Amino acid sequence: MQLTHAKLKYLLTAAELQKNDEKGFRGIDLAIQLGVSRASVRKMLMKFTEDGYLGHESQYYYVLTEKGKAEIQLYMKYYGQLQVFFKETMELTDFESKECSLSVLSVLPLHELERVCVKLSY
């Protein structure tokens, strides 16, 4: 399944937040990290929960499910490599390199991402 730019941004940020807290992550923390409203986050979290990417650890905490972790894992190996390319080779800021990486991740199929990242490592 190809995720949109926004969905990738939410899921990658959720994975980062979850990595820093064994309980999971709160919607408010996701909203703050992304700079979006709590209402936007709530809608996206409901959609991810319905689609099986997230589960509730408690009333306030969400966790990535095995499905969510597997999906993110597909993208993480490319995300880091693209960020380094945009930051070091293209001399973009951290924010710009993350946004460009997300854009590439959201438009290229996974097999093409693999080809691009192989070329970047030369």
Side-chain angles (χ1 to χ4, degrees):
M1 173 183 169
Q2 189 73 19
L3 295 172
T4 65
H5 178 95
K7 288 181 179 180
L8 273 171
K9 191 172 190 172
Y10 272 80
L11 284 177
L12 288 168
T13 304
E16 279 297 312
L17 289 171
Q18 185 171 322
K19 185 168 57 172
N20 296 329
D21 189 339
E22 63 187 43
K23 292 185 284 187
F25 64 93
R26 299 178 311 161
I28 185 68
D29 297 324
L30 190 58
I32 291 167
Q33 189 74 24
L34 293 172
V36 297
S37 71
R38 289 190 294 181
S40 295
V41 168
R42 195 171 321 121
K43 284 171 50 176
M44 189 68 87
L45 291 176
M46 284 175 44
K47 179 69 174 144
F48 284 138
T49 301
E50 288 171 10
D51 291 346
Y53 291 104
L54 296 177
H56 282 283
E57 190 63 22
S58 69
Q59 182 179 358
Y60 299 107
Y61 284 87
Y62 291 87
V63 292
L64 287 164
T65 62
E66 290 306 314
K67 178 181 178 180
K69 289 176 187 175
E71 190 72 26
I72 286 303
Q73 202 59 28
L74 292 172
Y75 291 95
M76 285 302 287
K77 63 182 179 178
Y78 306 121
Y79 186 55
Q81 193 172 354
L82 289 167
Q83 276 187 356
V84 169
F85 170 76
F86 286 118
K87 185 172 172 105
E88 294 179 3
T89 306
M90 303 300 293
E91 300 179 354
L92 300 179
T93 66
D94 282 339
F95 176 78
E96 292 168 333
S97 65
K98 286 179 181 182
E99 287 298 309
C100 288
S101 298
L102 286 169
S103 294
V104 171
L105 289 175
S106 63
V107 296
L108 287 179
L110 287 171
H111 69 278
E112 293 297 335
L113 284 170
E114 178 71 33
R115 289 181 52 205
V116 167
C117 288
V118 165
K119 296 285 186 189
L120 291 178
S121 47
Y122 286 126

